[in-house]
């Protein structure tokens, strides 16, 4: 593969790191005090899920999130941090890519009516798929340095 400036493996690493920075920005801009102390993030998601056109989303939210909103708030916020750190450093990269893909798909389904959210989550999911199937952890990563996922 011929490219300008970097080789193909390096460009994949740039893509992986960029996706990680995107997750870190998602974590950074969250009002964690609001999410953890006032429950604003889960309350917002509950409102969206309650009005969702698909009954399975409303039911799933009631069964999974409603009984444990504080726990889910911590899971969501710190999952975004873990995904960002994992992808930027290239540590447990395939795990982070699959987990990020699943989280983006959940966000995509929840926000099915919001075109801006759909675009962001669709792009992040696409990058995750490309990075996963192209094994973007082979360059500039702790995984490569440690000999993981060869």
């Amino acid at each position: 593969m011929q490219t300008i400036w970097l080789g193909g493996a390096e460009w994949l690493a740039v893509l992986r790191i960029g996706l990680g920075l995107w997750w870190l920005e998602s974590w950074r801009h969250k009002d964690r005090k609001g999410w953890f102390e006032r429950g604003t993030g889960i309350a917002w998601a509950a409102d969206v899920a309650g009005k969702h056109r698909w009954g399975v989303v409303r039911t799933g939210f009631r069964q999974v999130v409603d009984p444990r909103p504080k726990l889910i708030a911590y899971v969501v916020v710190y999952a975004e941090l873990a995904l960002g750190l994992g992808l930027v450093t290239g540590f447990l990269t395939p795990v982070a890519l699959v987990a990020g893909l699943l989280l983006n798909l959940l966000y995509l389904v929840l926000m099915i009516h919001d075109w801006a959210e759909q675009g962001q989550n669709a792009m992040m999911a696409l990058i995750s798929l490309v990075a996963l199937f192209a094994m973007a952890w082979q360059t500039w990563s702790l995984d490569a340095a440690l000999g993981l996922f060869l």
Side-chain angles (χ1 to χ4, degrees), residues 13 17-18 21 38 47 51 58 65 70 74 80 85 89-90 119 136 138 149-150:
I17 292 165
L21 292 172
R38 297 185 309 276
D47 183 57
K51 298 174 187 171
R58 292 188 303 273
V65 180
K70 195 165 196 98
Y74 278 94
E80 291 181 357
L85 292 174
T89 63
Q138 297 178 74
F149 310 108
L150 299 175

Side-chain angles (χ1 to χ4, degrees), residues 22-62:
W22 201 343
W23 279 116
L24 288 174
E25 175 57 21
S26 182
W27 173 80
R28 187 199 64 80
H29 84 265
K30 280 197 175 29
D31 174 12
R32 286 177 287 287
K33 192 171 190 169
W35 272 73
F36 302 148
E37 294 176 17
R38 297 185 309 276
T40 57
I42 297 301
W44 169 81
D47 183 57
V48 171
K51 298 174 187 171
H52 205 283
R53 66 178 91 162
W54 297 345
V56 67
V57 172
R58 292 188 303 273
T59 302
F61 198 92
R62 277 194 307 269

Side-chain angles (χ1 to χ4, degrees), residues 13 29 41 44 47 54 57 72 76 79-81 86 104 111 121 126 136:
H29 84 265
W44 169 81
D47 183 57
W54 297 345
V57 172
I72 298 298
V76 168
E80 291 181 357
L81 174 62
N104 279 128
M111 298 302 298
N121 288 297
L126 178 62

Side-chain angles (χ1 to χ4, degrees), residues 80-119:
E80 291 181 357
L81 174 62
L83 290 169
L85 292 174
L87 292 170
V88 168
T89 63
F91 183 63
L92 300 177
T93 310
V95 175
L97 288 167
V98 169
L101 176 62
L102 292 174
L103 192 55
N104 279 128
L105 292 177
L106 281 171
Y107 290 170
L108 189 67
V109 168
L110 180 63
M111 298 302 298
I112 198 76
H113 66 284
D114 185 331
W115 288 102
E117 279 290 321
Q118 283 185 334

